[in-house]
Amino acid sequence: MSAEETTDERASILLVDDMEDNLIALEAVLGSLNEPLVRARSGEEAMKALLRQRFAVVLLDIRMPGMDGFETAANIKRLDQTKDVPIIFLTGTDADAGYAFRGYATGAADYLTKPFDPWVLRAKVTVFLDLHRKNQQLERILTQEHTHAAQVSTRLAALEKQLSADDQPDIPDLRRQVRELQRLVTALRDNRAP
């Protein structure tokens, strides 16, 4: 496994809360997942972090001074670079009943009230980590398929050029090129590298 693949398998989690105790609690619950946990103490810090690196999921407190969780979520969903990052809203039990609706309306994937059940939070975050990894795997497969398709296209164009030339074609060379193309097409069909 290359260093790039190892890095891609790590799925960072962004923890956004203005209260130190809450961040410590989140780290205690999620630390066993062995994924990078990145802290942000405000919506502004969260946006900066999201623009610096990719995250598998954001755990976002709703009540924060300055840019609150709803405004932060709206900004996250507005940017092409961050719009697909799932958000789990976290808020106190004394929260307004409309918070859950408003959270989902701003693009939240989930919503939990504090104090939260650590097992439930860990399970929900694990689902988003798995989805993140599967999306990365799909991206790699699509890139690989695009590369193979481009190779096939280039080789077909070269074969066509040879066949349309006025010179007598080199039959053994043409057969070799056709076998290489067959191998590439088979690899592309079987979704594996040649």
Side-chain angles (χ1 to χ4, degrees):
M1 184 179 283
S2 73
E4 181 181 293
E5 288 173 332
T6 303
T7 302
D8 281 348
E9 294 303 315
R10 306 264 308 162
S12 297
I13 302 165
L14 182 58
L15 312 174
V16 187
D17 200 307
D18 61 315
M19 304 292 290
E20 180 69 18
D21 290 346
N22 291 340
L23 291 170
I24 291 169
L26 289 170
E27 289 172 336
V29 170
L30 301 174
S32 64
L33 296 176
N34 295 320
E35 299 297 346
L37 302 173
V38 177
R39 289 174 160 219
R41 304 263 333 229
S42 68
E44 292 84 1
E45 275 186 44
M47 292 308 299
K48 288 176 186 174
L50 282 157
L51 294 174
R52 279 193 301 266
Q53 73 181 83
R54 284 179 76 175
F55 288 93
V57 63
V58 175
L59 279 75
L60 180 58
D61 183 37
I62 291 177
R63 292 183 182 175
M64 294 184 295
M67 188 188 311
D68 70 9
F70 297 122
E71 189 178 351
T72 303
N75 285 327
I76 291 169
K77 295 303 179 183
R78 193 171 305 142
L79 298 174
D80 284 341
Q81 180 180 342
T82 58
K83 69 181 179 186
D84 295 325
V85 178
I87 299 168
I88 299 176
F89 271 123
L90 303 172
T91 193
T93 54
D94 61 338
D96 183 316
Y99 274 18
F101 175 77
R102 189 171 169 202
Y104 288 119
T106 55
D110 213 335
Y111 184 93
L112 289 172
T113 55
K114 300 175 200 170
F116 48 79
D117 181 329
W119 296 102
V120 171
L121 178 63
R122 196 175 303 116
K124 289 175 182 278
V125 169
T126 299
V127 168
F128 289 114
L129 293 173
D130 290 343
L131 285 172
H132 178 76
R133 287 188 188 92
K134 288 185 186 328
N135 283 337
Q136 286 182 321
Q137 184 181 18
L138 282 173
E139 286 175 17
R140 285 192 295 269
I141 288 169
L142 288 174
T143 299
Q144 205 174 48
E145 286 182 359
H146 179 73
T147 301
H148 288 131
Q151 289 174 348
V152 167
S153 200
T154 300
R155 289 186 177 177
L156 280 173
L159 268 176
E160 187 176 337
K161 186 176 178 182
Q162 280 182 334
L163 289 171
S164 64
D166 291 335
D167 299 339
Q168 191 69 357
D170 180 356
I171 300 298
D173 184 52
L174 287 175
R175 285 186 177 132
R176 180 190 58 74
Q177 290 183 54
V178 167
R179 281 193 301 275
E180 285 179 19
L181 276 170
Q182 286 173 329
R183 185 175 56 81
L184 274 174
V185 169
T186 300
L188 188 59
R189 184 189 66 225
D190 295 343
N191 198 14
R192 58 178 166 75

